[in-house]
Amino acid sequence: MPSLSRVIAFSLASLAAAGAALADPPAPAEPARPKQVVIISFDSARDISQWKRSRALAQRTGAHFTYFLSCVFLLSPETRGQYAAPGKTAGKSNIGFAASRQDVAERLEQIGLAAHEGHDIASHACGHFDGKDWSKADWLTEFASFEHILENAYAINGIAPEPEGWRDFAHAVAGFRAPYLSASKALYEALPAAGYQFDASGVSKGPALPPTISGITRFSLPLIPEGPKSRPVIAMDYNLYVRHSGGFDRPSKADEFADRTYQAFRAAFNTQYQGKRIPLELGFHFTLMNDGAYWNALERFAGEVCVKSDVECISFRDYVSRRDGSQKQATVGG
């Protein structure tokens, strides 16, 4: 007959084994969080120095940008007659034209380099007119002008040689942002008819996931809190310029404005980074408002966040391509 101690030991072992069998299974591992996406874009894309500065920022941080190009900056004073906006006579533009044939050549070079480096070249139309009252046909005319001028820019201006693949690249532009962010029903009817894939003319109350409607992914610049009272402002340099100095340059306060801008960008980023990780969109121009305050804030911001392993600073086209599995923009010059 087994001893009492052996029975007790066996019973304890059995209970332990049963307890192990009945214990809750280990909790499943937390799903990996998506990377925080930041989408930085530039409107009009005129000044050569700012092309170079933005590309250098991208090289330092690993970012890819979207450049919304105004096609009038591919026309010299001698070739400006190639463009006629809806309802306007030929050679008219709200933002002027390129300074010279050489200016066009240097800009074309920058566009090609940016495209080759993986940046997104998109359309900001041509003459920067407010198209809120344009018809679908008017918009299609403007889109056709943009495509024709971009595709034929070398030939129109008598610049040689034209890089290999340039026309394929020009024909494949997929994105658009309306001047003045002036969107309309007619614009959204024209965009898919012209073969575009995304539009970035919207404004939202905060960072928002872009819906796709009638084949067009619609992005929106968010309102973000800014300044001592955290009042909302569109996350674009021009809107901050108007907020800070009424649209007039105050270079003596550039450092203050740059810091306010950086703090607003960083707070908006942190909210998403620590929260739902909705993409954050930020918009800029090549104009150095308030002595470059907003570019200084951008460089500080991008230098801190775009280098993070769980952050991606990508273009609008990158975002749409990854989601849809579509092709990236054609390269220029091999």
Side-chain angles (χ1 to χ4, degrees):
M1 181 175 181
S3 67
L4 181 59
S5 61
R6 290 179 62 189
V7 171
I8 292 173
F10 175 79
S11 300
L12 290 173
S14 299
L15 287 171
L22 295 173
D24 291 335
E30 288 288 329
R33 298 191 72 195
K35 290 187 176 183
Q36 175 64 49
V37 168
V38 179
I39 304 176
I40 296 167
S41 59
F42 301 95
D43 289 7
S44 292
R46 180 174 189 168
D47 291 48
I48 304 303
S49 61
Q50 299 303 93
W51 272 105
K52 293 178 179 179
R53 184 175 174 181
S54 62
R55 289 177 46 238
L57 175 61
Q59 289 163 6
R60 292 196 305 272
T61 62
H64 282 160
F65 302 136
T66 293
Y67 295 92
F68 290 105
L69 174 69
S70 296
C71 84
V72 289
F73 298 137
L74 301 182
L75 296 175
S76 69
E78 294 77 22
T79 59
R80 61 188 292 171
Q82 290 280 332
Y83 169 63
K88 307 286 184 183
T89 57
K92 299 292 184 182
S93 165
N94 266 357
I95 50 175
F97 292 84
S100 64
R101 178 176 175 272
Q102 180 60 31
D103 185 43
V104 173
E106 292 179 13
R107 188 167 297 105
L108 289 171
E109 180 185 27
Q110 290 299 314
I111 292 169
L113 289 169
H116 188 71
E117 291 160 1
H119 298 291
D120 172 23
I121 309 300
S123 170
H124 198 42
C126 286
H128 212 276
F129 293 105
D130 187 341
K132 66 179 184 300
D133 296 324
W134 285 358
S135 66
K136 176 182 176 180
D138 290 336
W139 276 114
L140 290 174
T141 297
E142 184 78 350
F143 294 154
S145 293
F146 178 92
E147 183 174 338
H148 171 76
I149 291 168
L150 180 60
E151 185 173 340
N152 294 281
Y154 281 88
I156 288 171
N157 292 283
I159 299 168
E162 179 179 292
E164 180 183 353
W166 177 264
R167 291 171 184 264
D168 291 337
F169 147 76
H171 188 70
V173 167
F176 179 76
R177 174 175 281 158
Y180 310 107
L181 304 179
S182 188
S184 65
K185 180 181 177 183
L187 169 64
Y188 289 122
E189 290 174 348
L191 283 166
Y196 285 96
Q197 296 177 18
F198 73 83
D199 171 79
S201 307
V203 175
S204 55
K205 290 183 178 180
L209 291 172
T212 298
I213 302 171
S214 300
I216 301 296
T217 301
R218 298 190 188 182
F219 294 95
S220 297
L221 285 166
L223 291 167
I224 61 173
E226 189 276 337
K229 297 183 180 180
S230 296
R231 291 189 296 135
V233 65
I234 296 174
M236 181 173 252
D237 56 358
Y238 179 76
N239 302 83
L240 289 157
Y241 178 52
V242 172
R243 161 73 59 84
H244 292 160
S245 58
F248 296 93
D249 278 314
R250 296 180 65 184
S252 64
K253 302 197 75 174
D255 289 344
E256 175 189 334
F257 297 150
D259 188 63
R260 277 181 57 167
T261 300
Y262 164 79
Q263 297 297 341
F265 290 167
R266 193 61 199 254
F269 170 84
N270 288 344
T271 296
Q272 295 308 318
Y273 185 67
Q274 297 163 7
K276 296 182 179 179
R277 297 208 168 178
I278 296 171
L280 175 65
E281 301 172 35
L282 303 175
F284 298 86
H285 295 76
F286 273 18
T287 307
L288 294 177
M289 294 166 269
N290 276 327
D291 201 28
Y294 309 105
W295 273 67
N296 293 340
L298 166 64
E299 288 174 326
R300 180 181 175 189
F301 172 81
E304 290 180 2
V305 307
C306 294
V307 297
K308 289 179 176 290
S309 61
D310 54 353
V311 174
E312 288 187 307
C313 293
I314 62 175
S315 69
F316 287 110
R317 187 169 192 140
D318 287 340
Y319 184 92
V320 174
S321 295
R322 292 182 184 188
R323 188 196 60 189
D324 296 347
S326 55
Q327 293 294 315
K328 291 188 176 182
Q329 192 161 29
T331 58
V332 182

